[in-house]
């Protein structure tokens, strides 16, 4: 038998007997539990002794007092029950399949796998029967030499190594590159040689 | 304790029979008015007084209603309300809880004693009559246990648990400090528990 049961089954003092500190502590704890129970917020965790006493208090309240189920709570419980029952009933027919349907569902993955294997085998066979094809090598006429300034090119040769002291002067370098590219563009678009080379587009 | 539903008239019985037959035909939603009508008396009269724990009582009510919906096709209409059938399901569920939890021995013993002496459901066809009778039996047992308490303990229980006055008001009415009232109520409930369990066993 637990200590709680010992306390519960011990004789109850007379109303005017002095309470021990331990009993006062128990009484205070129980009073708090009754407080919470009256507002419907009794904690789930409590000692076995407190639970036994609180159950007795609740029985008294249920029979003599006002311990009732709120109408909204009752409706919510009914709603839950019906939703569960109707959901289960609706789900039940989906569980039942005809024998033909069940058989076809069982065979379907194997049928798909077999068809895929056949297609793959046919493709391999066709490739093997076709043999190696001849590759025609077409000589491409070398492009005529054009000035480097007309072509797309890296800017590194133009800028060169950047000294640490000038690392922050990027705008000057961008201006320099822009001017260089603009020169090439003008030469290709505006000069006779450029027009003769068909320089309608930008740089290559 | 307030009454959550009124005695069934003949028209209501006819309507109840129609709803039951509709539910038995597969329209489970037809049970909604019946479940809403009897949820409160089942909870307040049958389940909570036997369990003493509101949370467990709600669970048992939910299980009871779910079982009723599940087994409605087995219910046989015999010109009485469906309430006695629901009540019996609820009592069985309460016993299950006591068996599983192995706690509240005194309440379980008290309940077993009461179950042996409870009224024959067939003699109380009307749900309201059954609930009233059950409430009367519970109340008599509570009153018997209360009568064995010392006046001060009985007053403490009346003020705090029946009238639901605050601790401050209870202490003021008894002319003691709140701490002393806490001790009084603590002892009063312990004493009540002894008499309540003793009366049952």
């Amino acid at each position: 038998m637990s200590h709680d049961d010992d306390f519960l089954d011990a004789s109850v003092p007379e109303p005017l007997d002095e309470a021990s500190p331990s009993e006062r502590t128990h009484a205070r704890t129980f009073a708090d539990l009754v407080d919470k129970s009256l507002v419907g917020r009794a904690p789930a965790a409590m000692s076995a002794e407190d639970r036994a006493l609180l159950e007795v208090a609740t029985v008294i309240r249920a029979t003599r007092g006002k311990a009732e189920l709120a109408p909204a709570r009752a409706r919510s419980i009914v709603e839950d029950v019906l939703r569960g029952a109707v959901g289960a009933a609706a789900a039940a027919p989906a569980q039942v399949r005809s024998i033909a349907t069940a058989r076809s569902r069982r065979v379907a993955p194997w049928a798909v796998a077999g068809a895929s294997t056949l297609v793959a085998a046919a493709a391999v066979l066709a490739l093997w029967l076709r043999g190696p094809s001849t590759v025609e090598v077409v000589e491409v006429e070398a492009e005529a030499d054009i000035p480097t300034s007309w072509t797309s090119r890296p800017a590194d040769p133009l800028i060169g190594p950047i000294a640490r002291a000038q690392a922050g002067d990027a705008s000057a370098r961008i201006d320099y590159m822009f001017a260089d590219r603009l020169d090439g563009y003008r030469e290709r678009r505006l000069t006779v040689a450029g027009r003769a080379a068909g320089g309608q587009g930008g740089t290559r | 304790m307030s009454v959550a539903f009124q005695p069934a008239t003949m028209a209501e019985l006819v309507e109840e029979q129609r709803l039951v037959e509709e539910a038995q035909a597969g329209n489970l939603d037809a049970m909604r008015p019946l479940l809403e009508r009897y949820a409160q008396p089942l909870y307040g009269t049958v389940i909570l007084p036997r369990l003493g724990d509101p949370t467990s009582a709600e669970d048992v009510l939910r299980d009871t209603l779910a079982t009723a919906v599940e087994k409605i096709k087995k219910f046989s209409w015999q010109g009485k309300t469906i309430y006695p059938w629901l009540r019996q399901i609820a009592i069985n569920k309460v016993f299950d809880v006591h068996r599983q939890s192995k706690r509240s021995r005194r309440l379980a013993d008290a309940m077993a004693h009461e179950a042996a002496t409870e009224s024959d459901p067939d003699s109380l066809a009307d749900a309201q009559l059954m609930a009233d009778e059950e409430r009367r039996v519970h109340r008599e047992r509570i009153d018997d246990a209360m009568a064995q308490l010392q006046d001060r303990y009985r007053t403490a229980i009346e003020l705090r648990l029946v009238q639901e006055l605050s601790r401050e008001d209870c202490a003021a009415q008894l002319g003691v400090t709140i701490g002393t009232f806490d001790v009084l109520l603590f002892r009063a409930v312990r004493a009540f528990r002894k008499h309540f369990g003793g009366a049952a066993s």
Side-chain angles (χ1 to χ4, degrees):
Chain A
M1 187 178 278
S2 69
H3 172 74
D4 283 344
D5 288 335
D6 287 343
F7 193 88
L8 278 177
D9 292 335
S11 61
V12 180
E14 293 294 311
L16 297 179
D17 286 357
E18 188 67 24
S20 67
S22 166
E23 188 183 18
R24 284 190 177 278
T25 305
H26 271 106
R28 175 61 198 264
T29 303
F30 180 65
D32 288 341
L33 287 173
V34 171
D35 269 346
K36 289 172 182 167
S37 174
L38 289 177
V39 295
R41 289 182 185 168
M46 64 183 84
S47 71
E49 176 193 64
D50 286 335
R51 184 178 300 283
L53 292 181
L54 195 59
E55 284 177 354
V56 170
T58 306
V59 167
I60 296 171
R61 288 181 57 226
T63 308
R64 294 280 311 277
K66 306 165 188 168
E68 292 182 339
L69 188 63
R73 187 75 190 129
R75 277 196 298 275
S76 166
I77 289 174
V78 170
E79 186 62 35
D80 283 352
V81 166
L82 286 175
R83 193 183 303 127
V86 171
Q95 305 290 330
V96 180
R97 297 187 195 119
S98 68
I99 293 175
T101 306
R103 186 174 295 155
S104 66
R105 287 192 181 199
R106 209 166 46 239
V107 168
W110 294 104
V112 171
S116 303
T117 305
L118 282 175
V119 169
V124 169
L125 191 63
L127 287 173
W128 184 63
L129 291 176
R130 201 171 66 177
S133 58
T134 53
V135 177
E136 292 184 8
V137 178
V138 178
E139 293 288 335
V140 179
E141 188 179 346
E143 291 186 12
D145 289 339
I146 54 174
T148 306
S149 61
W150 292 8
T151 64
S152 177
R153 60 199 182 279
D156 289 346
L158 183 67
I159 300 298
I162 301 171
R164 180 173 293 277
Q166 289 158 353
D169 198 13
S171 60
R173 291 191 289 273
I174 292 170
D175 289 346
Y176 187 47
M177 284 187 287
F178 180 78
D180 177 67
R181 269 36 177 182
L182 188 59
D183 276 350
Y185 175 77
R186 283 176 174 160
E187 187 180 345
R188 185 167 182 179
R189 291 289 306 271
L190 305 178
T191 63
V192 177
R195 282 202 295 271
Q200 292 298 314
T203 57
R204 278 185 292 171
Chain B
M1 174 180 270
S2 64
V3 174
F5 68 117
Q6 299 299 317
T9 63
M10 185 52 69
E12 285 171 336
L13 268 182
V14 171
E15 172 66 5
E16 187 167 319
Q17 182 180 8
R18 186 188 68 76
L19 292 172
V20 167
E21 288 171 353
E22 202 173 317
Q24 288 176 327
N27 178 18
L28 296 180
D29 205 48
M31 289 190 76
R32 184 187 304 274
L34 301 178
L35 301 185
E36 287 181 352
R37 176 181 169 92
Y38 294 130
Q40 176 59 48
L42 284 172
Y43 176 88
T45 310
V46 179
I47 302 172
L48 186 59
R50 288 172 167 83
L51 280 179
D53 176 22
T55 306
S56 300
E58 281 192 22
D59 289 344
V60 168
L61 175 65
R62 190 189 309 274
D63 282 354
T64 299
L65 301 184
T67 300
V69 171
E70 183 187 340
K71 297 189 172 175
I72 187 63
K73 289 186 179 175
K74 295 181 179 175
F75 174 73
S76 170
W77 184 265
Q78 294 174 341
K80 298 189 279 277
T81 80
I82 196 174
Y83 181 75
W85 184 65
L86 295 173
R87 177 180 173 278
Q88 195 54 53
I89 295 174
I91 288 176
N92 292 342
K93 300 279 183 192
V94 170
F95 272 112
D96 288 345
V97 169
H98 278 293
R99 263 197 298 268
Q100 286 165 8
S101 65
K102 291 187 173 61
R103 63 177 171 81
S104 310
R105 287 307 312 165
R106 278 171 197 269
L107 284 179
D109 292 345
M111 198 171 60
H113 169 81
E114 175 200 336
T117 59
E118 66 189 353
S119 305
D120 175 13
D122 288 342
S123 66
L124 296 168
D126 188 80
Q128 176 62 46
L129 290 178
M130 280 193 75
D132 285 348
E133 172 63 11
E134 191 152 23
R135 196 172 291 119
R136 188 189 62 75
V137 171
H138 284 313
R139 192 176 174 123
E140 273 182 5
R141 294 187 54 245
I142 297 288
D143 288 346
D144 285 348
M146 292 278 274
Q148 298 178 59
L149 298 180
Q150 300 203 33
D151 286 348
R152 213 161 170 75
Y153 288 158
R154 187 164 52 246
T155 306
I157 288 179
E158 283 282 349
L159 294 176
R160 186 72 178 118
L161 300 179
V162 178
Q163 297 181 30
E164 297 189 6
L165 298 183
S166 69
R167 288 155 74 192
E168 290 80 1
D169 290 345
C170 294
Q173 289 216 17
L174 287 172
V176 296
T177 64
I178 293 177
T180 302
F181 175 75
D182 288 346
V183 172
L184 267 178
L185 182 67
F186 183 56
R187 290 177 178 175
V189 174
R190 284 175 59 201
F192 178 91
R193 182 175 178 273
K194 282 181 178 297
H195 294 304
F196 188 59
S201 61

